[in-house]
Amino acid sequence: MSSSAAMAVDSSSWSSALVKISPYTFSAIGIAVAIGVSVLGAAWGIYITGSSLIGAAIKAPRITSKNLISVIFCEAVAIYGVIVAIILQTKLESVPPSKVYSPDSLRAGYAIFASGIIVGFANLVCGVCVGIIGSSCALADAQNSSLFVKILVIEIFGSALGLFGVIVGIIMSAQAVFAPK
């Protein structure tokens, strides 16, 4: 068997394997990634912000209460994932067994999967971004309190990245309509 014939067999086996996986499995993985990776991003951001906040509060205890807003921004990232997971969950519809692998059902499963991946990883990066900026905000505020609002504005722009991921995920999931009964 030539190498090109072997590659054709391999590529067709991959495509046939993907088509044989239930669209409900793809949907469940997408929903799990949306919420799980978003929470991971929030936790990572809180870790980055919190450790710097506690360290900077040793020098300037006055910064602790107002810099908690950075932790709240990180927590919003997890909430974005929960909201999208709920939206994606409502897209799931029961179809007869004969229509589970129809093109409409497969497209719906792939759309929910892709939406969950996009939202999860957008929120992961957003959580890290907000965490790093929140850390910088705490350290800068400990040195010079006039910098707090200026850096907080930058943190708001970083938080918008998660909202962009949510919007793209909702747009992508609009195509998720399982086969009619």
Side-chain angles (χ1 to χ4, degrees), residues 47-167:
Y47 168 72
I48 294 169
T49 296
S51 59
S52 293
L53 178 58
I54 291 170
I58 293 170
K59 180 182 185 307
R62 65 176 167 72
I63 70 165
T64 52
S65 59
K66 69 179 177 180
N67 276 280
L68 285 178
I69 194 159
S70 297
V71 175
I72 293 168
F73 280 139
C74 291
E75 190 60 36
V77 171
I79 294 169
Y80 296 157
V82 170
I83 290 169
V84 171
I86 291 168
I87 291 170
L88 295 179
Q89 185 72 30
T90 63
K91 299 281 186 180
L92 294 177
E93 299 172 13
S94 180
V95 296
S98 63
K99 295 193 178 188
V100 168
Y101 293 100
S102 70
D104 289 336
S105 293
L106 289 171
R107 183 175 61 243
Y110 295 148
I112 292 172
F113 175 75
S115 178
I117 294 289
I118 291 295
V119 169
F121 284 98
N123 284 329
L124 174 68
V125 173
C126 177
V128 171
C129 174
V130 170
I132 291 170
I133 297 170
S135 169
S136 300
C137 187
L139 295 173
D141 188 25
Q143 292 286 18
N144 182 354
S145 62
S146 68
L147 296 174
F148 176 74
V149 174
K150 295 171 186 170
I151 297 176
L152 192 64
V153 170
I154 297 169
E155 192 169 8
I156 291 168
F157 287 127
S159 182
L161 297 174
L163 284 175
F164 293 146
V166 169
I167 291 166

